[in-house]
């Protein structure tokens, strides 16, 4: 597979780009924040996503989806990132739909149609501590009657307070850091008590408390105690997706900054004519293109079903973390004083970058992970 | 189509396994392991010559050149498979050659049929080693200010002047050379000539570098006669050929250290420092630096692959080689700084046999030229700012 978009993928990008730019630009995020919106997204917009088929973008055609891949999902995510659109697309249309591919037929039929119709959104509950440590699973799921009783806490769950469906990593045996004994569950959103926290970027992420909540035995995705594989596969998809969104964010910030370099005049000339800024801008552009290639590599490997996708997703999330951090730092610095104002959009990019960087592991996490995968 | 490629991959792998000498599948450890071919070729082993001859005969030193010019005649997809399988099996590059990486692509685009038939097959088989006459003492980053004169004497050009930083000029057989044919027009007064380094009036003087080696030379031309049919492209339009070739040169330099046989920093560090009980490198700070480097290097490899795919499909931006050159060379310098840190005092040895005559230290110093040769990092950033970002006045 050559490393550029096919004609069909370019067409999808040509559809997604104006759609997001018109319906959900940064002003949309700003408006939700200013209105103290408590949902964290706009249901009207989500229904438009469903009408466009985006909710089922990676769902199999047999299940009523578009049957497309992670390159295509990444195209939508890139535009979401470029516009800082608050959207449950990553957790629902990418994360939950992927997790449900490993679920039983009845479980899929229970949840997928509502997701595809835009009537249901999902949240992914993995992390329990302040730093991403996905294999540290302490939330217990004890056998009870026909099902399980869940008790424990999940943190940093975007859309966890409004989700109709929660994908939860729980421990069915062993100790919190054991490789075996993890099980993935698909449970109703009201199974947990959700406390939403507003984050620096005005998005909402929930703390979820499960207090001896009874769930059905058929809520298990895959095998009991065999959740490590499905969890890792889900993380690969989520990391690649978050990297795609951050890539869009970084390019959005860089585009704003380049435009400012061309327009802003000091000393009687455009500041972009100064070589000191040109070189920094060119360096930033190179970093973004390296990151773009790393993201596309992970997406393509995922779509080929290649084992190497796991490693490539770590490279992608780590690299786009470096590049997007540079993009927002240079963005604010090159804008000068107005870059510090709330009125100007570049600060929104900086705050959102920090949140997306943390999601599913930042660059430090992924550099460490790459070293472990490489045997050092 | 993809079934054909799957079969081709299997055939390629089987052929390489059968024909690549075991010795040629060991990592490259020093300059001696690198084969440059040419009339004065010095092979460090029988296997090195065998490998060149086998690959040259099959055209796989240049798998995607047309077969009539000595290439493998393969499609871009097939050529990519050959490169991938060679990398996977650890096969060494059979022939390093400025003819392959620089002159060849320029001749394929700008050469006459006679020039292609004369020069390309000899390049492919490693029979003629080429050097590049570009920089001059007063024409470095401002290359187009070059002053080496070529006067039209009817049936030949008479060349007088001096080049500098001519890589391996003392070991090369032929030179591709930028000369001034019109002193009144800076960019449109340059022509692109080919000539034999054995021509009367050509002399070279190696320059001793910080690595203790002399890969670069000063090259002098004193009334050198060059036949008219050795002009490539039109008279006074050599800058177009030069820029096209520079794009290929920049891609070659950007790939240094990232192709088959690249050093593994973690292996060097593990050998010198050991690991903790859980397998982690014993120095956590060095481990973090190596991990961040490896992450960037893998991402960079993805960009190399992407740009190559775009190039073959005619989708590449003309300034992409500048991005490759800038990013790749800065990374390679970092790689060798880390290699020195990982190697510790062993990497400092300059002439012991154990250090293979200071291979690590000399390689480290060699990489410092990467971000200068073929256009400095700063020139590449200028090009990106101008041609891609369209910043004002750039």
């Amino acid at each position: 597979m050559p490393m550029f978009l096919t004609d069909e993928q370019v067409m999808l990008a040509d559809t997604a780009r104006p759609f997001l730019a018109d319906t959900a630009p940064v002003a949309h995020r700003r408006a939700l924040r200013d209105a103290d919106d408590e949902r964290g997204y706009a249901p009207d917009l989500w229904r438009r996503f469903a009408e466009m088929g985006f909710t089922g973008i990676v769902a199999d055609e047999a299940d009523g989806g578009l049957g497309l891949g992670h390159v295509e999902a990444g195209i939508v995510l890139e535009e979401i990132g470029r516009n800082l659109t608050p959207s449950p697309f990553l957790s629902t249309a990418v994360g939950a739909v992927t997790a449900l591919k490993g679920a039983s037929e009845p479980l899929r039929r229970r949840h997928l149609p509502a997701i595809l119709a835009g009537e249901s959104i999902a949240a992914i509950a993995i992390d329990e501590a302040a730093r991403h440590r996905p294999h540290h699973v302490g939330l217990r799921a004890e056998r009870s009657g026909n099902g399980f009783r869940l008790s424990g806490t999940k943190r940093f769950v975007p859309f966890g307070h409004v989700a109709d469906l929660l994908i939860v990593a729980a421990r069915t045996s062993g100790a919190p850091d054991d490789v075996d004994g993890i099980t993935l569950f698909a449970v109703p959103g009201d199974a947990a008590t959700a406390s939403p926290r507003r984050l620096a970027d005005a998005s909402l992420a929930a703390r979820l408390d499960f207090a001896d909540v009874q769930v059905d035995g058929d809520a298990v995705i895959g095998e009991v105690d065999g959740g490590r594989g499905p969890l890792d596969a889900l993380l690969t998809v989520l990391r690649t997706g978050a990297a795609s969104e951050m890539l869009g964010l970084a390019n959005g910030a860089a585009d704003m900054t380049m435009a400012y370099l061309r327009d802003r005049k000091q000393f009687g000339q455009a500041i972009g004519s100064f070589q000191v800024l040109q070189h920094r801008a060119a360096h930033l552009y190179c970093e973004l293109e390296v990151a773009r290639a790393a993201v596309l590599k992970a997406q393509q490997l995922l779509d080929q079903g290649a084992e190497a996708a796991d490693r490539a997703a770590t490279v992608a999330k780590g690299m786009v973390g470096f590049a997007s951090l540079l993009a927002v730092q240079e963005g604010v610095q090159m804008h000068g004083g107005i870059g510090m104002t709330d009125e100007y959009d570049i600060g929104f990019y900086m705050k959102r970058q920090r949140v997306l960087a943390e999601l599913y592991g930042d660059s430090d996490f992924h550099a460490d992970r790459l070293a472990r995968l490489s045997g050092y | 189509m993809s079934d054909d490629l799957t079969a081709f991959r299997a055939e390629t792998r089987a052929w390489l396994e059968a024909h690549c000498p075991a010795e040629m599948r060991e990592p490259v450890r020093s300059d001696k392991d690198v084969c440059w071919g040419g009339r004065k070729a010095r092979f460090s082993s029988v296997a090195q010559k065998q490998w060149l001859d086998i690959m040259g005969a099959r055209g796989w030193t240049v798998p995607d050149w047309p077969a009539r010019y000595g290439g493998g005649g393969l499609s871009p997809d097939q050529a990519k498979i050959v490169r991938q399988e060679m990398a996977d099996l650890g096969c060494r590059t059979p022939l390093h050659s400025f003819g392959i990486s620089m002159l060849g692509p320029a001749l394929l685009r700008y050469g006459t049929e006679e020039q292609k038939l004369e020069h390309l097959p000899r390049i492919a088989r490693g029979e003629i080693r080429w050097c590049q006459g570009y920089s001059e003492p007063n024409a470095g980053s401002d290359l187009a200010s070059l002053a080496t004169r070529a006067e039209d004497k009817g049936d030949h050009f008479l060349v007088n002047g001096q080049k500098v930083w001519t890589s391996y000029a003392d070991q090369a057989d032929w030179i591709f050379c930028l000369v001034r044919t019109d002193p009144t027009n800076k960019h449109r007064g340059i022509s692109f000539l080919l000539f034999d380094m054995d021509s009367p009036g050509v002399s070279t003087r190696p320059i001793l570098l910080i690595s203790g080696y002399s890969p670069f030379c000063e090259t002098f031309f004193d009334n050198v006669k060059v036949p008219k049919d050795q002009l490539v492209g039109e008279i006074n339009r050599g800058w177009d050929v030069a820029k096209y070739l520079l794009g290929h040169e920049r891609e070659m330099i950007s790939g240094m250290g990232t192709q088959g046989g690249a050093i593994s920093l973690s292996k060097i560090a593990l050998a010198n420092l050991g690991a903790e009980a859980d397998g982690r490198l014993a120095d956590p700070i060095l481990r973090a630096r190596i991990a961040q480097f490896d992450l960037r290097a893998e991402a960079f490899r993805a960009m190399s692959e992407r740009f190559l795919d775009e190039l073959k499909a005619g989708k590449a931006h003309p300034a992409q080689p500048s991005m490759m050159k800038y990013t790749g060379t800065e990374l390679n310098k970092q790689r060798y700084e880390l290699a020195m840190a990982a190697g510790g005092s062993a990497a400092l040895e300059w002439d012991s046999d154990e250090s293979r005559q200071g291979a690590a230290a000399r390689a480290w110093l060699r990489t410092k030229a990467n971000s200068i040769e073929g256009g400095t990092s700063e020139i590449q950033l200028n090009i990106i700012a101008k041609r891609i970002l369209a910043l004002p006045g750039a």
Side-chain angles (χ1 to χ4, degrees):
Chain A
M1 191 182 294
M3 284 192 67
F4 46 77
L5 300 185
T6 63
D7 291 344
E8 290 79 11
Q9 288 163 348
V10 170
M11 277 173 58
L12 174 64
D14 289 343
T15 306
R17 182 168 290 206
F19 170 64
L20 268 304
D22 294 345
T23 57
V26 182
H28 171 69
R29 182 182 201 86
R30 184 186 289 278
L32 286 181
R33 182 199 66 172
D34 292 348
D36 286 327
D37 164 73
E38 287 177 357
R39 274 189 300 255
Y41 75 107
D44 287 356
L45 180 64
W46 187 241
R47 277 191 288 278
R48 298 276 310 267
F49 269 60
E51 286 161 22
M52 308 272 294
F54 290 166
T55 48
I57 196 160
V58 299
D60 295 335
E61 284 177 282
D63 288 325
L66 296 183
L68 298 173
H70 292 282
V71 175
E72 286 85 359
I75 287 168
V76 176
L77 281 163
E78 195 177 330
E79 298 312 317
I80 287 173
R82 189 187 309 279
N83 293 287
L84 308 182
T85 309
S87 173
F89 180 81
L90 177 60
S91 63
T92 307
V94 180
V97 168
T98 297
L100 288 171
K101 285 187 182 190
S104 64
E105 179 74 25
L107 198 57
R108 278 216 311 283
R109 234 179 289 140
R110 191 184 311 161
H111 296 295
L112 262 184
I115 288 177
L116 267 50
E119 292 158 4
S120 166
I121 69 163
I124 311 293
I126 297 173
D127 281 323
E128 299 184 359
R131 290 276 299 173
H132 182 58
R133 197 174 153 199
H135 297 135
H136 179 87
V137 177
L139 185 142
R140 307 285 311 181
E142 312 264 0
R143 281 197 185 273
S144 160
N146 269 346
F148 294 84
R149 273 208 327 254
L150 270 53
S151 54
T153 299
K154 292 288 178 182
R155 291 167 65 159
F156 195 35
V157 183
F159 305 99
H161 63 301
V162 285
D164 305 285
L165 167 68
L166 300 171
I167 305 293
V168 183
R171 179 152 299 283
T172 34
S173 70
D177 284 310
D178 286 358
V179 172
D180 296 322
I182 296 172
T183 303
L184 275 191
F185 287 86
V187 305
D190 57 10
T193 306
S195 336
R197 311 288 170 95
R198 197 168 294 281
L199 304 182
D201 68 338
S203 73
L204 291 160
R207 175 191 158 114
L208 298 180
D209 287 302
F210 293 84
D212 272 340
V213 178
Q214 181 75 27
V215 300
D216 292 342
D218 65 2
V220 170
I221 296 174
E223 302 292 319
V224 173
D225 286 349
R228 172 77 181 260
L231 174 60
D232 285 350
L234 175 60
L235 282 166
T236 298
V237 162
L238 290 168
R239 285 166 181 158
T240 302
S244 309
E245 188 173 341
M246 280 176 98
L247 180 68
L249 176 149
N251 278 282
D255 287 352
M256 267 186 85
T257 306
M258 300 300 168
Y260 190 73
L261 291 182
R262 287 184 205 105
D263 292 346
R264 170 71 173 168
K265 292 196 170 54
Q266 288 286 275
F267 306 102
Q269 52 191 314
I271 60 171
S273 65
F274 299 128
Q275 198 176 45
V276 67
L277 295 183
Q278 288 179 351
H279 281 193
R280 280 163 57 180
H283 171 72
L284 169 60
Y285 183 75
C286 290
E287 291 280 288
L288 294 177
E289 288 295 285
V290 172
R292 174 174 299 283
V295 170
L296 181 60
K297 189 78 192 162
Q299 293 166 342
Q300 288 190 343
L301 287 170
L302 266 175
D303 289 340
Q304 289 162 22
E307 264 181 50
D310 172 59
R311 183 182 177 95
T314 269
V315 171
K317 185 66 169 51
M319 183 65 217
V320 84
F322 292 141
S324 59
L325 180 60
L326 183 67
V328 297
Q329 285 183 334
E330 291 290 53
V332 169
Q333 177 67 22
M334 290 186 189
H335 276 84
I338 62 159
M340 289 299 295
T341 63
D342 183 74
E343 184 188 346
Y344 221 74
D345 286 345
I346 192 73
F348 276 58
Y349 282 87
M350 176 168 274
K351 291 186 273 192
R352 182 68 183 148
Q353 190 276 339
R354 190 69 251 170
V355 173
L356 280 175
E358 196 58 46
L359 195 63
Y360 311 125
D362 66 3
S363 296
D364 293 340
F365 174 91
H366 286 293
D368 177 72
R369 183 162 191 270
L370 186 70
R372 285 170 193 269
L373 291 172
S374 308
Y376 65 92
Chain B
M1 174 63 178
S2 68
D3 282 352
D4 289 351
L5 287 179
T6 308
F8 180 78
R9 186 181 292 279
E11 286 161 23
T12 299
R13 193 170 185 94
W15 188 88
L16 287 170
E17 279 175 335
H19 292 90
C20 183
E23 213 181 303
M24 291 298 105
R25 291 173 59 177
E26 310 254 314
V28 171
R29 285 157 311 181
S30 73
D31 285 351
K32 275 193 219 151
D33 294 338
V34 174
C35 174
W36 288 91
R39 295 194 294 236
K40 303 165 203 160
R42 280 173 311 208
F43 295 99
S44 63
S45 70
V46 176
Q48 195 183 54
K49 180 166 192 324
Q50 265 179 357
W51 183 223
L52 172 61
D53 290 345
I54 293 169
M55 289 292 273
R58 198 174 173 87
W60 279 13
T61 51
V62 278
D64 43 7
W65 286 9
R68 68 182 180 285
Y69 303 137
L74 302 184
S75 70
D77 284 343
Q78 290 173 323
K80 186 172 175 178
I81 286 171
V82 171
R83 280 189 294 272
Q84 285 172 341
E85 291 302 313
M86 284 178 67
D88 208 47
L89 290 168
C91 301
R92 286 186 192 167
T93 305
L95 176 64
H96 283 255
S97 156
F98 299 145
I100 292 175
S101 54
M102 295 198 265
L103 178 61
L107 273 185
L108 281 167
R109 170 135 176 202
Y110 292 98
T112 62
E113 186 61 18
E114 290 72 25
Q115 287 170 338
K116 291 178 195 174
L117 288 170
E118 183 186 350
H119 296 296
L120 293 175
R122 291 184 175 88
I123 289 172
R125 292 191 299 264
E127 292 168 5
I128 294 293
R129 182 170 180 178
W130 287 84
C131 65
Q132 177 189 38
Y134 269 38
S135 295
E136 297 180 5
N138 290 313
S141 285
D142 184 13
L143 179 62
S145 68
L146 60 92
T148 292
R149 283 282 285 143
E151 286 173 86
D152 190 335
K153 295 286 181 185
D155 65 334
H156 67 273
F157 293 107
L158 194 65
V159 178
N160 280 287
Q162 183 193 343
K163 295 288 173 182
V164 73
W165 313 127
T166 328
S167 302
Y168 305 112
D170 54 335
Q171 294 162 56
D173 306 312
W174 276 63
I175 186 168
F176 50 92
C177 192
L178 294 180
V179 294
R180 179 146 305 284
T181 37
D182 181 355
T184 64
N185 196 325
K186 186 174 178 183
H187 289 89
R188 289 210 173 177
I190 293 170
S191 298
F192 192 102
L193 290 183
L194 312 176
F195 53 93
D196 196 317
M197 290 291 280
D198 284 345
S199 307
V202 179
S203 60
T204 61
R205 187 161 67 203
I207 305 167
L208 185 64
L209 297 186
I210 53 177
S211 64
Y213 291 144
S214 302
F216 301 125
C217 294
E218 291 177 289
T219 306
F220 303 93
F221 310 119
D222 181 16
N223 287 325
V224 179
K225 283 185 181 176
V226 178
K228 280 279 192 64
D229 61 2
Q230 289 171 204
L231 170 76
V232 177
E234 289 174 45
I235 190 90
N236 291 330
R237 298 306 295 269
W239 188 245
D240 297 338
V241 187
K243 278 196 299 185
Y244 182 76
L245 185 148
L246 267 175
H248 287 273
E249 177 182 10
R250 286 168 185 162
E251 289 197 347
M252 173 196 67
I253 295 169
S254 72
M256 284 180 177
T258 62
Q259 286 151 357
I263 55 170
S264 160
L265 297 173
S266 58
K267 275 188 193 156
I268 297 171
L270 282 170
N272 287 321
L273 282 156
E276 307 283 5
D278 64 359
R280 281 187 296 180
L281 182 66
D283 180 336
I285 310 286
L286 182 62
R287 175 179 181 271
R289 291 171 62 208
I290 292 175
Q292 288 177 339
F293 173 84
D294 281 350
L295 197 150
R296 286 180 171 280
E298 285 199 28
F300 173 74
R301 274 198 292 278
M303 186 169 83
S304 314
E305 187 183 340
R306 179 184 149 216
F307 282 1
L308 193 60
D309 285 348
E310 289 184 344
L311 187 70
K312 304 275 180 198
K315 293 169 180 282
H317 188 287
Q320 280 179 352
S322 290
M323 296 172 57
M324 287 294 296
K325 208 271 174 183
Y326 168 66
T327 314
T329 58
E330 294 298 332
L331 263 182
N332 205 37
K333 287 197 297 182
Q334 270 181 42
R335 179 196 311 274
Y336 278 85
E337 282 300 330
L338 284 166
M340 292 304 284
S345 61
L348 296 172
E349 292 190 13
W350 193 248
D351 47 20
S352 65
D353 287 341
E354 296 95 311
S355 70
R356 294 190 311 280
Q357 283 68 47
R362 292 168 196 265
W364 158 64
L365 290 164
R366 171 66 183 86
T367 61
K368 301 305 176 195
N370 291 166
S371 52
I372 301 169
E373 58 199 331
T376 61
S377 283
E378 291 71 22
I379 289 288
Q380 307 313 318
L381 292 173
N382 284 349
I383 292 171
I384 296 159
K386 176 180 180 178
R387 295 227 250 157
I388 298 181
L389 302 179
L391 289 173

